[in-house]
Amino acid sequence: MIAKIIEATSDEKSPRNYSRFISKYAIYFVFVAMCVVMTILSPVFLTVANLLNVVTQMASIGLLALGVTIIIITRGIDLSSGSVLAVAAVVSASMAQSLDWGMRMYPNLGELPVIIPILAALAVGALCGFINGALIAYTGIPPFIATLGMMIIARGAALLYSDGRPVSSLIDSYQWIGQGTIIGIPVPVIIFIVMAIISYILLNYTRFGKYAYAIGGNETAAYVSGINVNKYKVLIYSYGGLLAGIAALILAARINSGQPGLGVSYELDAIAAATVGGVSHAGGIGTIQGTIIGTMIMGVLQNGLDLLNVSAYWQQVVKGLVIVVAVIFDMKRQKKSQ
């Protein structure tokens, strides 16, 4: 018995276990280090107002990243989430315009209860995700091509629906979604936290999540074991679209306008946040908590560069480098685990 205890203790202290520990929690160390560096470079960074601003600004991208995380776990990709956000935003905003706005899209439509534009955004987002999932599952189109097509179609639909103009002057109850607070916490932050908890539960404690990991790990084996792979692909992409609809609500409400140009490159930021958070593009690996940290890293990076007055052009370069480094790290981690 004593020998076994000694052996177990020595195993815990082995270099391999130290390496696993560092690999598992490296993203958290990076996040803390970034916060420390930014605090030293700019004392404004660590203020409560600025930290809340970081999370509020990243809430929409964070919601997209939650959906993309589950999709990438299945060895898929979603390039359409930013465009889906745009079309959901203009449709939702068109049903939330106040009566005193002379350029209402539907001048004969009375002021609707706020639940109507909310449901409209969710429905549009979920429908776009459903179409993505159905195309991928039942036609065999690669996820890259299917969602690339949806990216272009949804952006075009947003422009057609709004005639290329912003849909402005939204009712107060709608604006509250993006601008309100509850006990001092911005509503967008609360929505992001709630959806992160729901996504965590779905991914870790339901068939939805277990099957997502199984499909990403080995789709053929998942099919042979009795999992309805096509059905769950549709559900997973529909959930991603639903989250894009929620992100649309937040963004349109924050700026008091649904604009067809919203969400440009947001899909890339969402994929970057998930990748930095440790979601593997090889499939079957990834966590919601990792994506949350990845989102915060991207937010801290952007906020810090803004505080340091770094050019927006250089910010794009830095973001690209961060993504490449994250993927290289993931590839090395995959090789070590094999």
Side-chain angles (χ1 to χ4, degrees):
M1 178 64 71
I2 295 175
K4 288 183 179 180
I5 294 173
I6 294 172
E7 183 179 352
T9 304
S10 63
D11 286 343
E12 289 178 359
K13 294 182 178 180
S14 67
R16 178 178 296 179
N17 284 336
Y18 282 131
S19 177
R20 288 177 181 175
F21 177 84
I22 292 172
S23 177
K24 184 176 181 180
Y25 296 105
I27 190 70
Y28 300 96
F29 297 143
V30 170
F31 177 64
V32 172
M34 285 184 64
C35 289
V36 171
V37 171
M38 291 303 178
T39 301
I40 294 171
L41 295 176
S42 176
V44 177
F45 173 78
L46 206 57
T47 61
V48 174
N50 185 63
L51 293 178
L52 284 176
N53 182 51
V54 171
V55 183
T56 303
Q57 286 183 337
M58 295 302 295
S60 293
I61 292 174
L63 286 166
L64 299 183
L66 294 175
V68 167
T69 294
I70 304 176
I71 289 169
I72 294 176
I73 285 173
T74 65
R75 207 174 291 185
I77 197 71
D78 188 359
L79 300 177
S80 69
S81 56
S83 297
V84 171
L85 182 155
V87 70
V90 294
V91 171
S92 176
S94 70
M95 299 181 183
Q97 289 185 294
S98 60
L99 291 173
D100 59 355
W101 182 244
M103 299 174 61
R104 298 185 78 211
M105 286 191 67
Y106 301 110
N108 297 323
L109 188 67
E111 193 170 290
L112 299 174
V114 70
I115 189 64
I116 301 299
I118 289 174
L119 291 176
L122 301 184
V124 170
L127 176 61
C128 292
F130 175 86
I131 294 171
N132 278 336
L135 286 172
I136 293 164
Y138 296 107
T139 69
I141 297 176
F144 181 90
I145 300 301
T147 58
L148 178 63
M150 178 58 72
M151 178 182 75
I152 299 169
I153 292 169
R155 185 67 64 184
L159 290 164
L160 285 169
Y161 184 85
S162 64
D163 198 23
R165 295 194 296 260
V167 184
S168 304
S169 187
L170 310 181
I171 57 177
D172 292 341
S173 54
Y174 188 94
Q175 292 184 54
W176 181 83
I177 298 172
Q179 302 175 22
T181 60
I182 297 176
I183 59 172
I185 302 174
V187 173
V189 176
I190 294 173
I191 293 173
F192 175 57
I193 292 172
V194 169
M195 293 313 301
I197 293 171
I198 291 173
S199 299
Y200 177 83
I201 293 171
L202 283 174
L203 196 56
N204 292 278
Y205 298 104
T206 68
R207 289 182 180 179
F208 178 88
K210 291 177 182 177
Y211 290 173
Y213 281 114
I215 293 169
N218 190 321
E219 185 173 323
T220 302
Y223 179 80
V224 171
S225 65
I227 296 174
N228 190 334
V229 173
N230 290 339
K231 171 187 172 182
Y232 278 92
K233 280 187 177 180
V234 172
L235 288 175
I236 287 165
Y237 279 89
S238 296
Y239 183 67
L242 180 72
L243 289 169
I246 298 173
L249 285 171
I250 290 175
L251 199 55
R254 279 193 69 203
I255 64 175
N256 190 26
S257 176
Q259 301 179 11
L262 287 177
V264 173
S265 81
Y266 272 32
E267 61 278 349
L268 301 181
D269 289 339
I271 293 170
T275 303
V276 170
V279 182
S280 174
H281 289 260
I285 297 174
T287 64
I288 293 298
Q289 58 269 35
T291 294
I292 293 171
I293 293 297
T295 302
M296 291 301 100
I297 285 176
M298 299 302 291
V300 166
L301 180 64
Q302 182 171 330
N303 178 258
L305 293 174
D306 286 339
L307 291 175
L308 297 174
N309 295 317
V310 176
S311 166
Y313 306 133
W314 277 108
Q315 289 188 27
Q316 295 298 317
V317 173
V318 172
K319 283 184 182 180
L321 289 173
V322 168
I323 296 169
V324 171
V325 170
V327 172
I328 291 173
F329 179 80
D330 176 64
M331 291 174 63
K332 289 186 176 180
R333 184 177 59 182
Q334 292 301 318
K335 287 182 179 179
K336 286 182 179 180
S337 63
Q338 291 177 353

